[in-house]
Amino acid sequence: MRLLVLGGTEFAGRAVVEAALGRGWEVTVLNRGRHAPVPGARTLVGDRTAPGGLDALTDGEWDAVVDTWSAAPRAVHEAARLLRGRARRYVYVSSCSVYAWAPPAGYAEDAPLVEGAEPDAEQTDYPRDKRGGELAAVDAFGAADSVLVRAGLILGPYENVGRLPWWLTRTARGGPVLAPGPRELPLQYVDVRDLAEWILGAVEQGLSGPFNLISPQGHATMGELLEACVRVTGGPAELRWTAPETVLDAGIEPWTQLPVWVPPGSDMHDALHSADVSRAVATGLTCRPVGETVADTWRWLQEIGGEAPRRPDRPQKGLDPEVEAKVLAAGAE
């Protein structure tokens, strides 16, 4: 297989490149050259946001293109139109954020989508940008030759958003840890490597259309995730399970200040941890145990010196130590 990855040096794109090389595929990447390339991939340099930034792609043919772009849909539109006729399939890594808020628990790929998205638009907001990217891929390649990967929460090595790395760093520091409850809270996420393997399988199978790409509901719980963090870091951390009401009353923001966690019974939990993923599972999605994801992410963090890279276009994640200590102290009174 000949694969073109637009990006290919960070998080999801990098995982796709490594998985494809592991299968013996011929891999080409196009990026700005700001990060070290994956050994074994052919590298082309180009900036999709600049005039002439796609000139390196004027020649060449591929079996599939994987595009992880998450800003202005116009960039997807331009790349897809340029590659139309020289690539068989266009895989766009989208997001479950494209569904109209708030999707009900158990929503599938036919749930209502956000309105106002356009395939050639400039950057607006994340949901419309991702939906615009979907429209751009379908506009150029058609519904039969495009795959829309609606990913949910993505965890694993190379994470540059700051969710699992923050929890690992926090538990490694030790001491009492504010653990947002309930412990049995079901989570949905996908290990970035499982996401990559499914994408390559989709190319091999000639799949098309949208797929919710997250683990089955309840693949892990908040307790299993945080206990794995404590276990792999080996620090003297003590998880202090705290009721959701206490967390919210303290003004702590779910998802950002306490990454991954959202309160049970809320619209956020239904949207982020309650999708129907039966279509992806039926076409080959398999999800490794949460302990493996946590352990491998910790190993990667140690290899790079303990500080994960951060995307500048994503908000800072994590809870201020003073706020954490204040909430824990109030709970102990």
Side-chain angles (χ1 to χ4, degrees):
M1 284 283 188
R2 297 163 299 169
L3 180 69
L4 171 64
V5 180
L6 303 179
T9 57
E10 294 189 280
F11 205 19
R14 187 180 186 91
V16 170
V17 170
E18 290 187 348
L21 291 171
R23 294 189 181 203
W25 291 18
E26 178 184 304
V27 182
T28 301
V29 299
L30 173 81
N31 53 55
R32 289 172 287 188
R34 297 180 179 179
H35 303 280
V38 178
R42 173 182 176 231
T43 301
L44 303 176
V45 177
D47 183 349
R48 301 172 69 172
T49 65
L54 297 176
D55 288 351
L57 296 178
T58 53
D59 295 313
E61 294 184 356
W62 294 273
D63 294 295
V65 181
V66 174
D67 189 351
T68 63
W69 187 257
S70 59
R74 175 180 52 79
V76 180
H77 204 224
E78 292 175 357
R81 284 185 299 174
L82 177 64
L83 294 166
R84 180 173 51 195
R86 294 190 291 117
R88 296 180 181 178
R89 192 163 302 279
Y90 203 96
V91 182
Y92 179 63
V93 181
S94 184
S95 167
C96 285
S97 295
V98 300
Y99 295 110
W101 191 264
Y107 64 92
E109 288 82 358
D110 59 356
L113 301 167
V114 295
E115 298 180 352
E118 298 291 341
D120 57 354
E122 297 295 335
Q123 187 170 4
T124 55
D125 55 62
Y126 187 76
R128 284 188 292 167
D129 288 344
K130 279 297 190 182
R131 178 56 184 155
E134 292 185 353
L135 294 172
V138 173
D139 180 67
F141 275 72
D145 293 318
S146 54
V147 185
L148 309 179
V149 184
R150 291 175 179 165
L153 172 63
I154 307 175
L155 303 176
Y158 310 127
E159 188 194 330
N160 56 0
V161 183
R163 295 186 176 106
L164 184 51
W166 183 83
W167 278 115
L168 285 163
T169 302
R170 174 62 193 90
T171 54
R173 193 168 75 239
V177 176
L178 177 59
R183 181 188 174 283
E184 300 79 18
L185 184 70
L187 303 180
Q188 265 188 313
Y189 69 92
V190 65
D191 186 297
V192 68
R193 296 163 296 180
D194 297 332
L195 170 76
E197 292 292 348
W198 183 89
I199 287 173
L200 301 184
V203 171
E204 291 176 330
Q205 297 175 66
L207 300 181
S208 61
F211 294 84
N212 291 338
L213 224 293
I214 335 171
S215 64
Q217 296 180 39
H219 174 70
T221 64
M222 198 69 199
E224 290 168 340
L225 176 71
L226 296 191
E227 286 160 9
C229 289
V230 173
R231 185 168 59 252
V232 302
T233 57
E238 179 191 352
L239 298 177
R240 298 276 185 86
W241 291 102
T242 305
E245 298 77 15
T246 302
V247 175
L248 298 175
D249 289 345
I252 296 172
E253 293 184 17
W255 192 248
T256 52
Q257 289 182 291
L258 288 175
V260 178
W261 180 80
V262 289
S266 65
D267 288 347
M268 287 185 67
H269 190 268
D270 289 347
L272 297 169
H273 294 297
S274 301
D276 178 352
V277 297
S278 55
R279 191 163 189 247
V281 171
T283 51
L285 175 64
T286 58
C287 298
R288 68 194 68 204
V290 64
E292 184 176 334
T293 298
V294 171
D296 291 347
T297 304
W298 177 241
R299 187 178 302 112
W300 162 71
L301 275 177
Q302 292 177 302
E303 290 173 353
I304 64 172
E307 185 173 349
R310 292 290 183 91
R311 287 185 56 158
D313 60 339
R314 294 291 186 269
Q316 186 81 7
K317 302 294 188 296
L319 186 62
D320 183 277
E322 293 185 3
V323 174
E324 180 186 32
K326 184 177 180 181
V327 176
L328 288 172
E333 293 176 355

